[in-house]
Each structure stands twice: as structure tokens, then as C-alpha cells.
Amino acid sequence: MGVVETERGSFLYKDVLPFAAMVLVELMVVSGNTLYKSASANGINSYVFTFYVFFIGFIFILPLPFILHRRTSVPVPPINFSIVGKIFMLSVLMYLSQIFGYIGLKYSSPTLSSIMSNLSPAFTFILAFFFRMESIDFRSYTSQAKIIGTIVSISGAIIATVYSGPSVLSNPISINWIVGGILLASQYFLLAFALVAQAKIMKEYPVDVMVVFIFGISGLFVAGVAGLVMAQDLDAWKLKPNLLLVTILYMGFSSGFLNVVIQIWTLRLKGPVYVAMFKPLTIVIAIVMGVLFLGDLLHLGSVMGGIIITVGFYGVVWGKAKEESPSSIQITAPLLQPHHNLEQGPCIH
């Protein structure tokens, strides 16, 4: 009886709980995008909004170094100015990624944002190859899978952005939709760039909690300076008890803190491929939420593009998974997901 209960407990902890946790993560990401889209209908300054989200996220990140210090007897290695400078540049990349994402959401929809988020593995593969962090053997089926998956993913993104097709639940695609699609694709390209840069940083200074903490400080500084320059109207900084405030608090807590905690735990328990495989779920969630709560416009091109990107996404992830042995997988904590990520706030890939 005890053995059965132990096996049942192990199944719940190692299989059911990680599955439910990752579904919750993707649900929170899309919910944040849907809230933002709804709040933006009443006018919202993306630069001010980004600063407040960074600020709320930093409040929850603030205790992490102290918790690390109390729970470990191993001294934290000193950090030099070079690493701090690289983390600062990383925060600039992530900030730009979020700004492009928020503005892109204004012009398009959470559905298109979720579709574009699946470009991240393809963009990461391209940049990792460019910076000689990935090697390509054209005779290898794993390299072929990654190359074909990348081409398919980018093709799907182009279709979702510029092709409307017969009306499903929508009007014809406007120029705003195309601009939004380009901005969202740029968001996830910058995110991929930042993740490649972060991988290099983590090799030099593999203390993820300290990297996240310093990133939080520098990101808040970048967001504050950019906000003061781009939003000089003091009225834009005033918060009122409305949907905008709810959105800031929600996204700051969920994307800036809770998502990163859940994904770090899932990464350590199940590995990076398991975490990545849930990303296409955001497309389905976004379509349902968009239609129900926003009266979203759904294009046949978006549906086709989403399916094509998902096929390409799994091609890249499958090829990468086949190349990695369990002993070669290194778990790190990427700093922001895109509000997704937007993947938004800290994120894990």
C-alpha cells in the first residue's frame, strides 16, 4: 500500500504538477496580453507601462539574493564590472523587446503575439549559429530538422502577418496589423538575441539569482530613463484605480515573478524541451480569449500561419532535443519572457 501511495505521489509531483504548472504559465502570459490590449483601448503609454511592470517585478525579485545568502553556505563569487556591463546591455535588449511587443500588441492582437512567440527557437538557432554557439552538419538529420523548421517558422510568420484570406471572424487585414506583426516579430528576434547573450554571460558568471537581481536593477534604470525621455507628460505617469492599474499589478507579479519561479522549477525537474513544448498552446488560448473578451478579429491567414509556425517550432525543438544528451543540458534562468513573454518579465526557455 505504501509503495502504491509513493508511486502515486511521485506521478503527481513529476508529471501532473509540471503539466498543470506549464499550462498555468501560458494562461497567465496570454491573460496579461489580453488585459493589456483591453487597457490600451482607453489610451496607454507603453513606456510608462513598461517602467511600472519592471518596478513591480523588481519588488518581488529584490529578496532573492538575501534568500540565496541564507540558504547556502557556499560564498557567492564576486562580480566584476565587465559582467555588470554585459548584464546592462542585456537589459537594454530586453527592454526594447518589451517595448516592441507592447506597441505591436496595440496594432494587432494577443493572438498574433502568441503566434509570433513561436519564432523564438528559430531566431535563437540563427543567432547561435551566427555567434558560433551552434554548429551545422548538413548531412545530419538533426541539423536538417532545425534548418527546415526555421524556414517553415519564418514562412508561417510572413503568412500570419501579410495574408488575410477568406474571412473567418474578421475584416480584411489593415496596415496596422502588418506593422504590429513586424513589431512582434522584432520583439522575439530581440528576445532571441538577448537569450544568446545571456548564455554567454551565464558561462562567465553562473550564479543565476545574482544575474537576475542585477538585471532587475539595470532594467528598472533603463525603463525609467526611457520613460522620462519618451513620456514627459506627468499625467501619463499618474495611476488610477482602473483596468490599467490591475494590468500593471498582474503583469508585474505574474510575468515578472511567478512565471520565472514556476519555470525554473519545471526546468530543473523536466528539462528545457518540456518547457518549450507548451509554447504553441498560447495560440489556442489567445484565440479563445481574444474572441470571448476582446471581440478579436480572426483571420484565416493567422490560423494558417499559426499552424505552419507550430510545425516549424516543433521541428527546431525536436532537432535540438535529439542533439542534446541529458548530461549536456545546462539549465539557466533566462531573464525575461517574453511578455511573451510578452513573454514579459523574467522568462525561462
Side-chain angles (χ1 to χ4, degrees):
M1 191 70 175
V3 175
V4 173
E5 290 181 355
T6 301
E7 290 179 352
R8 184 180 301 171
S10 178
F11 172 73
L12 288 174
Y13 180 78
K14 293 185 177 180
D15 294 290
V16 176
L17 197 54
F19 180 86
M22 287 310 305
V23 172
L24 177 62
V25 165
E26 305 305 342
L27 183 62
M28 286 191 295
V29 167
V30 178
S31 297
N33 285 345
T34 304
L35 276 173
Y36 177 84
K37 181 66 176 180
S38 180
S40 67
N42 298 321
I44 183 174
N45 189 298
S46 299
Y47 300 96
V48 174
F49 181 85
T50 304
F51 169 78
Y52 281 128
V53 169
F54 266 81
F55 179 72
I56 297 298
F58 179 70
I59 290 175
F60 290 101
I61 291 173
L62 188 59
L64 291 182
F66 305 101
I67 295 174
L68 175 67
H69 178 72
R70 302 186 87 180
R71 290 193 174 185
T72 180
S73 58
V74 180
V76 176
I79 188 167
N80 57 44
F81 181 77
S82 173
I83 297 297
V84 173
K86 291 175 181 178
I87 295 174
F88 178 80
M89 295 306 299
L90 178 66
S91 68
V92 172
L93 284 175
M94 299 303 286
Y95 174 77
L96 290 174
S97 172
Q98 281 206 332
I99 285 296
F100 282 8
Y102 287 135
I103 297 176
L105 265 176
K106 281 186 178 180
Y107 284 120
S108 57
S109 73
T111 299
L112 188 58
S113 176
S114 295
I115 291 172
M116 292 300 178
S117 72
N118 288 273
L119 283 171
S120 292
F123 284 152
T124 303
F125 169 64
I126 292 172
L127 290 168
F129 172 72
F130 181 79
F131 288 106
R132 298 183 179 180
M133 297 174 68
E134 282 272 0
S135 59
I136 293 180
D137 180 1
F138 290 100
R139 296 169 297 179
S140 169
Y141 67 92
T142 56
S143 291
Q144 293 171 4
K146 290 189 291 184
I147 293 170
I148 295 173
T150 298
I151 296 172
V152 170
S153 293
I154 294 174
S155 300
I158 294 172
I159 291 173
T161 302
V162 304
Y163 175 65
S164 174
S167 177
V168 178
L169 296 172
S170 67
N171 298 318
I173 286 180
S174 65
I175 187 64
N176 283 349
W177 181 273
I178 296 176
V179 171
I182 293 172
L183 287 171
L184 291 171
S186 300
Q187 174 199 1
Y188 290 105
F189 178 80
L190 288 173
L191 176 61
F193 201 121
L195 293 176
V196 171
Q198 182 196 337
K200 287 182 170 291
I201 292 172
M202 293 303 296
K203 285 184 178 180
E204 294 184 51
Y205 190 79
V207 185
D208 49 6
V209 171
M210 287 302 298
V211 173
V212 170
F213 178 74
I214 296 170
F215 171 84
I217 296 175
S218 58
L220 187 61
F221 173 78
V222 171
V225 171
L228 290 174
V229 172
M230 301 300 296
Q232 299 182 4
D233 182 7
L234 294 180
D235 290 336
W237 292 85
K238 295 179 180 178
L239 295 178
K240 300 176 182 178
N242 53 19
L243 182 60
L244 174 59
L245 179 59
V246 172
T247 305
I248 289 172
L249 294 174
Y250 176 83
M251 294 181 77
F253 173 73
S254 64
S255 297
F257 174 71
L258 186 58
N259 282 6
V260 70
V261 172
I262 292 175
Q263 292 187 68
I264 285 175
W265 173 75
T266 309
L267 268 173
R268 299 197 184 282
L269 185 66
K270 303 292 285 187
V273 175
Y274 184 87
V275 172
M277 66 183 285
F278 284 85
K279 184 54 56 188
L281 180 62
T282 59
I283 299 175
V284 178
I285 298 173
I287 289 174
V288 173
M289 283 192 170
V291 172
L292 292 180
F293 301 114
L294 299 176
D296 239 355
L297 307 179
L298 181 61
H299 306 274
L300 179 61
S302 296
V303 176
M304 293 174 58
I307 294 172
I308 293 172
I309 287 180
T310 300
V311 172
F313 169 90
Y314 281 122
V316 177
V317 170
W318 180 84
K320 186 63 179 175
K322 286 294 183 180
E323 286 183 348
E324 293 179 337
S325 64
S327 61
S328 68
I329 295 177
Q330 293 184 344
I331 298 174
T332 59
L335 304 179
L336 274 171
Q337 175 134 257
H339 251 296
H340 251 256
N341 263 224
L342 284 174
E343 301 156 303
Q344 305 124 358
C347 73
I348 304 300
H349 284 263

